[in-house]
């Protein structure tokens, strides 16, 4: 595993909506920012068929489109993004802090952990097959679209 010599003001673990938002704010204010993502950006938000409750998009926006816009904005302000680099160790002792991924180690004065959450599954027949077609985990997000 390679060792990075560069020190970042901020290393953000996770490129979902929270991580990308942190990246926009930090890089816009001139902080040397690195966003790390174990998979592809967006997390569960990228798979949402349509957001109708997200401010600024009166006609709605798909999760994929929203995340693409957020990625462009993060890049525009100069944050560096590394995909397919899973954080496997965090060492918060001393200064700077150390974030180790599957590929390298990065030093940061202020790491942010924005890794999202996992849904709690019911483990009932049909749950997986009907996800998004009657089975929902967010009544605020999906409730209006399921009205009879």
């Amino acid at each position: 595993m390679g060792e990075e010599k560069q020190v970042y003001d901020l290393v953000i673990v996770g490129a979902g909506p929270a991580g990308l938002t942190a990246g926009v704010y930090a890089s816009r204010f001139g902080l040397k920012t690195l966003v790390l993502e174990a998979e592809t950006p967006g997390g569960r938000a990228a798979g949402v068929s349509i957001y109708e409750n997200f401010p600024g998009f009166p006609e709605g926006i798909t999760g994929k489109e929203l995340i693409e816009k957020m990625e462009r904005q993060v890049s525009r302000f100069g944050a560096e993004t590394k995909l397919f680099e899973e954080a496997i160790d965090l060492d918060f002792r001393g200064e700077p802090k150390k974030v180790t991924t599957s590929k390298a180690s990065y030093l940061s004065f202020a790491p942010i952990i924005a890794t999202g959450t996992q849904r709690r599954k019911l483990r009932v027949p049909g749950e997986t097959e009907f996800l998004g077609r009657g089975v929902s985990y967010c009544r605020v997000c999906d409730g209006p679209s399921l009205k009879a």
Side-chain angles (χ1 to χ4, degrees):
M1 179 175 357
E3 194 72 24
E4 291 288 325
K5 301 298 180 203
Q6 246 176 339
V7 178
Y8 292 88
D9 293 312
L10 188 66
V11 171
I12 301 164
V13 179
L20 293 173
T21 299
V24 167
Y25 277 92
S27 57
R28 186 169 175 257
F29 284 109
L31 298 178
K32 184 178 176 89
T33 304
L34 173 64
V35 180
L36 299 169
E37 173 56 47
E39 296 175 8
T40 58
R44 287 198 325 258
V48 172
S49 59
I50 189 156
Y51 280 105
E52 294 183 311
N53 60 340
F54 198 92
F57 299 96
E59 305 304 316
I61 186 168
T62 68
K64 183 178 183 229
E65 290 172 310
L66 180 62
I67 295 303
E68 287 170 357
K69 287 178 181 290
M70 292 176 87
E71 285 182 278
R72 284 197 307 271
Q73 196 171 7
V74 158
S75 295
R76 178 176 153 225
F77 292 119
E80 185 179 347
T81 302
K82 295 194 180 212
L83 304 179
F84 303 102
E85 278 206 50
E86 180 178 13
I88 56 174
D89 189 54
L90 304 169
D91 185 353
F92 290 167
R93 294 171 292 179
E95 289 293 332
K97 312 301 182 203
K98 185 174 175 183
V99 178
T100 303
T101 72
S102 53
K103 296 182 180 178
S105 291
Y106 304 97
L107 300 175
S108 172
F109 291 106
I112 291 179
I113 302 169
T115 54
T117 185
Q118 295 295 319
R119 293 180 174 128
R120 195 157 106 201
K121 305 273 178 154
L122 295 172
R123 298 186 184 143
V124 297
E127 180 179 17
T128 303
E129 301 91 303
F130 294 108
L131 182 61
R133 298 182 299 141
V135 172
S136 173
Y137 295 103
C138 179
R139 68 177 176 82
V140 173
C141 304
D142 304 327
S145 66
L146 300 173
K147 280 199 286 187

